[in-house]
């Protein structure tokens, strides 16, 4: 259920609502929009005596939320969510460009990519330090050394770092190096990890599980939000279907569907969705045209020698072309492209 608070309600009146919820052991999540204050209520509502909330002067209306996800529901923040990560805005009208290699391999490798993406408007440097590989015999990532390289290079170019964490044990250490924690497709329903990143308060990008429905994915989001962490980006990265021409099938419909179901920003990963460098450009353009809030793209200075995902990484020069075309689409759909 959400409580829509009357415009102009006083602080005391809002406190009275929150006090009533606490009295009946209900959890309140407050969302302060530009026009309206909305309180999400989680817990057993049958504890409330009839009229306990309805009769409070600041309550405009109570709206039940039928979906199994509550805080992620569009009703909780009808105007949509935009938030800042160290001064960089995500969501809203400006597009967010994230790029970098699949895995951190060396400082030179990351630097050569960071230099180009910075000049093309990207504000976030990606790179895997802890790699969730399908077999234990593949390159597993440079781990702590990888995080150190990412931070060093990002600071050199005034970029922010997004990188994947696969265990709750790594959150504390990684928080010194990472600005946005990525939860990968393979951990999309690792609920203890989701709760732990929720408790950390660090912004999170949650990728869609390989075979996760949109409602299940929103359930995963809810694990993070219910711990009080609302700085979440949802990342569509393709789902497993019967089609084998691409590594996964980019669910482009997920973009407008998410826009109607949730208030959270949505970013598309055309690299893991297609698994093939040649399809990254058309899928990037389609994603932005469909209303995505940004892209995360794998870029490597020499893709054929990459230690992971060699087939899907594009070169810095190819990235430049995509960035220019995304900029052109942004203008048509009235979004701004980062300078
Ligand atoms: C990644 O982005 O490095 C990654 C492993 O992606 P996904 O979890 O979507 O497979
Ligand atoms: Mn990859």
């Amino acid at each position: 259920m959400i409580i829509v608070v009357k415009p102009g309600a006083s602080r005391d009146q809002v406190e009275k609502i929150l006090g009533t919820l606490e009295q009946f052991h209900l959890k309140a999540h407050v969302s302060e929009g530009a026009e309206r204050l909305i309180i999400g209520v989680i817990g057993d509502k049958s504890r409330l005596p009839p009229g306990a909330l309805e009769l409070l002067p600041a309550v405009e209306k109570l709206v039940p939320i039928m979906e199994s996800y509550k805080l992620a529901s569009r009703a909780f923040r009808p105007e949509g969510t935009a938030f800042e990560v160290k001064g960089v805005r995500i969501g809203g009208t400006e597009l967010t460009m994230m790029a970098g290699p699949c895995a951190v391999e060396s400082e030179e490798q990351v630097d050569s990519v960071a230099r180009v993406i910075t000049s093309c408007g990207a504000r976030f440097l990606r790179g895997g330090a802890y790699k969730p590989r399908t077999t234990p015999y593949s390159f597993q990532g440079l781990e702590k050394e990888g995080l150190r390289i990412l931070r060093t290079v990002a600071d050199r170019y005034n970029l922010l770092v997004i990188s994947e964490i696969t265990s709750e044990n790594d959150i504390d250490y990684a928080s010194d190096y990472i600005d946005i924690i990525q939860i990968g497709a393979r951990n999309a329903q690792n609920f203890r990890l989701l709760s732990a990143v929720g408790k950390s308060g660090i912004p999170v990008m949650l990728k869609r599980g390989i075979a996760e429905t949109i409602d299940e994915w929103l359930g995963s989001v809810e694990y993070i939000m219910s711990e009080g962490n609302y700085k979440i980006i949802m990342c569509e990265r393709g789902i497993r279907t019967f089609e084998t021409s691409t590594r996964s099938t980019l669910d482009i419909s997920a973009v407008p569907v998410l826009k109607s179901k949730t208030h959270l920003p949505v970013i598309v990963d055309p690299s893991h969705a297609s698994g093939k460098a040649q399809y990254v450009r058309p899928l990037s353009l389609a994603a932005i045209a469909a209303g995505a809030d940004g892209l995360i793209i794998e870029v490597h200075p020499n893709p054929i020698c990459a230690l992971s995902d060699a087939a899907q990484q594009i070169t810095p020069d190819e990235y430049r072309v995509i960035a220019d075309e995304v900029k052109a689409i942004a203008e048509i759909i009235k979004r701004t492209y980062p300078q």
Side-chain angles (χ1 to χ4, degrees):
M1 170 179 78
I2 60 172
I3 303 170
V4 180
V5 177
K6 283 183 186 157
S10 71
R11 199 63 237 166
D12 279 359
Q13 288 175 322
V14 173
E15 287 300 332
K16 183 97 183 100
I17 300 175
L18 297 176
T20 305
L21 295 174
E22 198 179 332
Q23 187 185 345
F24 295 101
H25 309 289
L26 294 166
K27 230 170 153 185
H29 292 260
V30 178
S31 164
E32 209 154 355
E35 288 168 17
R36 276 281 199 279
L37 190 91
I38 287 175
I39 304 171
V41 182
I42 306 290
D44 179 7
K45 262 84 69 192
S46 65
R47 292 168 187 262
L48 282 166
L53 291 171
E54 291 89 332
L55 298 176
L56 294 176
V59 172
E60 182 169 297
K61 59 179 172 182
L62 306 179
V63 184
I65 298 184
M66 297 308 173
E67 293 89 4
S68 51
Y69 50 91
K70 311 285 177 198
L71 304 171
S73 161
R74 185 95 205 174
F76 184 54
R77 272 195 190 153
E79 74 278 18
T81 284
F83 57 86
E84 282 195 1
V85 179
K86 301 205 172 146
V88 179
R89 208 161 170 75
I90 295 181
T93 55
E94 182 155 303
L95 296 176
T96 301
M97 297 295 280
M98 303 176 166
C102 174
V104 176
E105 297 170 9
S106 69
E107 188 167 329
E108 298 68 42
Q109 171 229 21
V110 179
D111 186 281
S112 61
V113 172
R115 183 164 15 92
V116 173
I117 65 159
T118 308
S119 69
C120 299
R123 301 301 310 277
F124 291 89
L125 177 65
R126 66 146 287 147
Y130 299 92
K131 293 304 299 173
R133 305 306 300 283
T134 304
T135 84
Y137 311 119
S138 306
F139 174 59
Q140 300 289 306
L142 298 182
E143 303 187 347
K144 290 182 177 173
E145 174 61 3
L147 291 181
R148 188 198 64 73
I149 291 174
L150 271 178
R151 186 78 264 164
T152 305
V153 175
D155 288 348
R156 195 174 292 153
Y157 292 97
N158 196 24
L159 292 166
L160 297 176
V161 170
I162 174 163
S163 194
E164 177 164 359
I165 291 296
T166 53
S167 159
E168 53 189 286
N169 299 332
D170 294 327
I171 296 174
D172 253 7
Y173 182 84
S175 63
D176 287 340
Y177 298 87
I178 292 182
D179 302 302
I180 299 181
I181 293 179
Q182 175 175 313
I183 300 294
R186 290 154 194 81
N187 274 313
Q189 289 188 302
N190 180 340
F191 300 123
R192 289 176 75 100
L193 179 59
L194 297 175
S195 297
V197 294
K199 287 195 183 89
S200 79
I202 301 167
V204 179
M205 185 172 83
L206 177 63
K207 290 193 141 193
R208 183 178 186 176
I210 289 167
E212 203 177 24
T213 67
I214 289 175
D215 279 8
E216 286 167 345
W217 186 12
L218 287 162
S220 296
V221 163
E222 203 72 15
Y223 271 91
I224 305 173
M225 289 193 83
S226 60
E227 298 293 348
N229 186 351
Y230 300 163
K231 293 190 170 183
I232 301 170
I233 303 162
M234 297 182 75
C235 176
E236 163 60 39
R237 48 78 72 209
I239 46 174
R240 173 122 343 147
T241 68
F242 52 80
E243 183 51 64
T244 54
S245 313
T246 45
R247 182 179 181 181
S248 290
T249 299
L250 179 63
D251 182 7
I252 202 80
S253 336
V255 176
V257 170
L258 284 174
K259 288 286 163 192
S260 68
K261 284 180 176 261
T262 180
H263 49 86
L264 293 168
V266 179
I267 277 188
V268 168
D269 174 348
S271 307
H272 291 90
S274 64
K276 292 184 181 164
Q278 70 187 107
Y279 302 135
V280 169
R281 174 174 161 249
L283 296 182
S284 297
L285 304 184
I288 295 300
D293 296 294
L295 296 169
I296 181 162
I297 298 179
E298 285 192 344
V299 184
H300 192 286
N302 189 7
I304 49 172
C305 295
L307 298 181
S308 59
D309 287 349
Q312 72 195 34
Q313 299 196 64
I314 60 169
T315 62
D317 282 347
E318 289 166 334
Y319 181 80
R320 258 186 230 287
V321 174
I322 294 177
D324 278 347
E325 293 182 346
V326 166
K327 207 180 291 180
I329 293 181
E331 209 167 298
I332 297 169
I333 59 172
K334 311 226 167 1
R335 304 285 303 248
T336 53
Y337 186 88
Q339 290 314 309

